[in-house]
Amino acid sequence: MEKMLGNKKYILIFILPALLLFLGFTLIPLVTSGIYSFFEYNGIGTKTFIGIKNYIQLFTEDRYFPLAVKNSLILVVASVFVQLPISLILALVLSRGVKGDGFFRTVYFIPVVISSMVIGQLWLKMFNNDYGVMFNNDYGVINTVVRYFNPKYEHSWLTKDAFMTVLIPSIWQYIGYHMIIFYAGIKSISTDYYEAAQIDGASTLQVHMKITLPLLVPVIKTCVIFAITGSLRAFDLVYVMTGGGPNHISEVPATLMYNNLFRKGLYGYGSAQAFFIVIECLIFTFIVNRIFKKAEQNVSAV
């Protein structure tokens, strides 16, 4: 086995399937989108080279795209400063040996493996405020619970607070995902550090602030990158729950891109929006790496 792994031919054979999938489903479509973004193209006829006109149009002529970018940045902030802290707290609690921690890890992770389409439909029903036929009342769980305490309460979540109705399930769905990553990172920390801190009489808060969090920096960086790029690429929940409406107030770049590409046939302009999302993800990833660089160096020096 060692001889096989030391042979470059065998290594190439092993990585070839993954390399082909990466080229076919990631790199080639990415390059193609980048090329299309410099053309006026409807997907069928001839392509007309227009340079960076599509990119200029994004922020100077398209009144909905800046709003979509703003919504995606709000989702980024919520993911990093709400979703990740909740995930980290849950991971810290479970890592202390809570009875039935395996059960809780499974329960928290279930939303991650459920299709986003199903999650979207689930929360649609919870926020619903339309009147049902059978009971002559709305069947939205949230309004029903609030109306139990205030019978006169009426609120249309999917119109007045459309983006918030997307924001909440987007944060909720992946709490378990990041929690599992944090949990694995915490469990990989040597117990010698905690034993030494216990001997020195450190409190639980001091242990987490001085040992757990500093040693967890590489894991935190990974989760921050996942949270940011996932938020910038958000599409399915938004599309299922609001479709970007009403009146485009809950649009994100990916929903606008989808409409331009597959509904309006604006392949050049839609590709520019798609490539903008890629560039945005790369820029944020670079920034996060720079922010965490010094902290990671301190960890590696331990």
Side-chain angles (χ1 to χ4, degrees):
M1 187 65 180
E2 292 181 4
K3 183 179 179 181
M4 182 182 295
L5 293 176
N7 191 315
K8 293 182 179 180
K9 291 182 180 179
Y10 286 112
I11 294 175
L12 180 61
I13 292 173
F14 287 138
I15 68 172
L16 186 60
L19 180 61
L20 291 175
L21 289 173
F22 175 75
L23 290 174
F25 292 98
T26 304
L27 190 59
I28 294 176
L30 179 62
V31 173
T32 303
S33 294
I35 294 173
Y36 283 171
S37 67
F38 296 104
F39 290 85
E40 184 177 339
Y41 182 47
N42 62 5
I44 300 175
T46 58
K47 297 188 289 291
T48 304
F49 182 77
I50 57 174
I52 61 172
K53 185 178 178 180
N54 284 327
Y55 292 97
I56 295 174
Q57 184 181 347
L58 288 179
F59 293 100
T60 59
E61 299 179 25
D62 192 334
R63 59 175 179 168
Y64 300 123
F65 191 73
L67 175 61
V69 173
K70 177 185 174 183
N71 285 340
S72 68
L73 293 178
I74 293 173
L75 185 55
V76 165
V77 172
S79 297
V80 173
F81 295 103
V82 178
Q83 183 185 76
L84 294 188
I86 293 174
S87 300
L88 180 58
I89 292 171
L90 290 174
L92 289 172
V93 172
L94 293 180
S95 66
R96 299 191 65 183
V98 175
K99 186 176 180 181
D101 63 331
F103 168 77
F104 289 112
R105 290 201 308 270
T106 302
V107 169
Y108 291 140
F109 195 74
I110 285 176
V112 181
V113 298
I114 298 177
S115 168
S116 294
M117 299 298 176
V118 176
I119 296 293
Q121 289 296 328
L122 170 68
W123 282 88
L124 266 178
K125 300 300 183 291
M126 292 177 66
F127 283 116
N128 183 273
N129 62 290
D130 293 331
Y131 286 95
V133 177
M134 292 180 62
F135 303 103
N136 193 30
N137 203 347
D138 65 82
Y139 56 85
V141 174
I142 295 175
N143 276 3
T144 301
V145 171
V146 175
R147 195 175 292 111
Y148 179 80
F149 300 97
N150 182 9
K152 296 182 179 180
Y153 179 81
E154 293 289 344
H155 189 76
S156 180
W157 295 97
L158 296 170
T159 54
K160 295 181 180 179
D161 301 290
F163 184 66
M164 189 186 73
T165 63
V166 173
L167 194 65
I168 293 174
S170 297
I171 294 172
W172 169 81
Q173 184 178 11
Y174 287 98
I175 285 177
Y177 175 79
H178 296 292
M179 184 205 70
I180 292 297
I181 297 176
F182 283 136
Y183 180 86
I186 294 169
K187 285 297 185 181
S188 67
I189 298 174
S190 174
T191 56
D192 294 341
Y193 296 110
Y194 297 111
E195 291 172 359
Q198 188 175 14
I199 293 172
D200 291 338
S203 65
T204 301
L205 180 60
Q206 289 175 325
V207 168
H208 289 322
M209 295 300 295
K210 300 294 184 180
I211 298 176
T212 306
L213 291 182
L215 294 178
L216 210 60
V217 164
V219 177
I220 295 174
K221 186 192 80 170
T222 301
C223 287
V224 169
I225 291 175
F226 284 169
I228 291 175
T229 55
S231 300
L232 296 175
R233 296 182 292 106
F235 170 74
D236 38 14
L237 271 177
V238 181
Y239 192 77
V240 170
M241 294 187 67
T242 65
N247 196 27
H248 301 278
I249 62 173
S250 62
E251 292 278 15
V252 290
T255 55
L256 284 176
M257 175 200 70
Y258 177 85
N259 288 327
N260 284 314
L261 278 170
F262 301 109
R263 290 190 172 183
K264 299 179 181 179
L266 301 175
Y267 274 74
Y269 187 59
S271 295
Q273 292 176 322
F275 207 67
F276 172 83
I277 296 173
V278 174
I279 295 172
E280 201 178 19
C281 290
L282 291 175
I283 291 174
F284 272 96
T285 301
F286 175 77
I287 293 172
V288 171
N289 279 321
R290 294 291 296 178
I291 292 173
F292 281 86
K293 185 177 181 180
K294 186 176 180 180
E296 284 186 306
Q297 289 175 346
N298 293 335
V299 172
S300 61
V302 175

